[in-house]
Amino acid sequence: QVHLQESGPGLVKASETLSLTCTVSGGSISDYYWSWIRQTPGKGLEWIGYVYYSGSTNYNPSLKSRLTLSADTSKNQFSLRLTSVTAADTAVYYCARIVTVRGRGNWFDPWGQGTLVTVSS
Amino acid sequence: DIQMTQSPSSLSASVGDRLTITCRASRNLSLYLNWYQQKPGKAPNLLIYAASSLQGGVPSRFSGSGSGTNFTLTISSLQPEDFATYYCQQSYAFPRTFGLGTKVEIK
């Protein structure tokens, strides 16, 4: 059974870079696409983007100018890097596997437990 | 972006009640609509995918229906462990978007 675990600093200073890693166990990251999603009380659940092991990515346009997603097959991990953060980037960040079935769409399953990142001024 | 509108935003119900939550999309999604359950302090958990397919391990009291722009999640007989927040999510177009959630509370 696939398990995902987010890791990274829980506190980031405004204008600096937020970096998170998702470690996948119980399966290979080469087999699926992988996504980051964040959650705030004000905006709810926001899809950040996805990454494939090959380096292929798709970003939410609202974050595209500040976002980099990458994957490391040697460590079975994928990562998020968000630059020039502000208080609006304070959120619980989740990583999730994307399951796709042709003709039926795709969905996020499973999710990591989530990690709270607070941007301080 | 496709806007996902859930109703109601919250409701109070009793154990054994039949519950229906509605999700409306701003564009035709065909069947590309998923439902998740989230309990406090936990990550969302997939319940229904492709509008009406029950995820493995999810109790059969949960069901989904709809197509196009209108979808529903139904809980046939509410159980104590079902008190949570429910979200719909579209996989028709990028960026993926979620509804703001429906919080189900105990009456």
Side-chain angles (χ1 to χ4, degrees):
Chain A
Q1 193 164 1
V2 172
H3 179 76
L4 288 74
Q5 179 70 57
E6 304 89 350
S7 59
L11 188 64
V12 181
K13 292 183 179 178
S15 78
E16 295 190 347
T17 297
L18 184 162
S19 296
L20 296 174
T21 295
C22 183
T23 300
V24 178
S25 56
S28 171
I29 67 163
S30 301
D31 293 336
Y32 290 89
Y33 285 74
W34 305 89
S35 202
W36 289 96
I37 299 152
R38 67 183 183 180
Q39 185 171 32
T40 61
K43 291 185 68 175
L45 290 162
E46 181 181 25
W47 177 75
I48 296 172
Y50 76 62
V51 62
Y52 194 47
Y53 79 97
S54 62
S56 172
T57 56
N58 190 315
Y59 298 155
N60 192 320
S62 68
L63 298 168
K64 189 173 185 176
S65 63
R66 300 190 290 129
L67 181 64
T68 302
L69 302 185
S70 60
D72 185 340
T73 55
S74 67
K75 296 181 179 178
N76 221 37
Q77 295 175 334
F78 59 101
S79 299
L80 173 155
R81 187 172 179 269
L82 186 66
T83 62
S84 304
V85 296
T86 70
D89 296 309
T90 294
V92 176
Y93 286 76
Y94 295 100
C95 56
R97 183 181 66 175
I98 301 171
V99 177
T100 299
V101 173
R102 182 176 294 182
R104 309 196 78 183
N106 49 60
W107 44 91
F108 304 113
D109 181 67
W111 298 51
Q113 66 183 24
T115 188
L116 174 63
V117 178
T118 301
V119 177
S120 66
S121 54
Chain B
D1 297 4
I2 296 178
Q3 306 303 314
M4 306 298 294
T5 304
Q6 284 184 238
S7 60
S9 56
S10 66
L11 63 91
S12 296
S14 301
V15 173
D17 284 354
R18 180 181 180 87
L19 216 60
T20 297
I21 297 169
T22 296
C23 179
R24 180 166 297 176
S26 61
R27 287 174 51 189
N28 188 334
L29 304 180
S30 181
L31 296 175
Y32 295 169
L33 188 284
N34 308 312
W35 289 97
Y36 301 85
Q37 178 193 65
Q38 185 178 33
K39 296 181 180 180
K42 301 293 187 181
N45 183 52
L46 179 71
L47 294 176
I48 302 283
Y49 60 91
S52 62
S53 294
L54 194 66
Q55 172 69 344
V58 174
S60 59
R61 63 181 179 272
F62 290 93
S63 64
S65 65
S67 64
T69 61
N70 293 303
F71 301 87
T72 59
L73 173 69
T74 299
I75 308 174
S76 60
S77 177
L78 200 63
Q79 298 301 300
E81 59 269 30
D82 300 338
F83 292 96
T85 300
Y86 295 85
Y87 296 94
C88 60
Q89 174 252 323
Q90 62 82 17
S91 69
Y92 183 84
F94 291 104
R96 303 301 195 227
T97 48
F98 294 81
L100 290 179
T102 295
K103 187 174 184 178
V104 177
E105 298 175 303
I106 301 172
K107 184 182 289 185

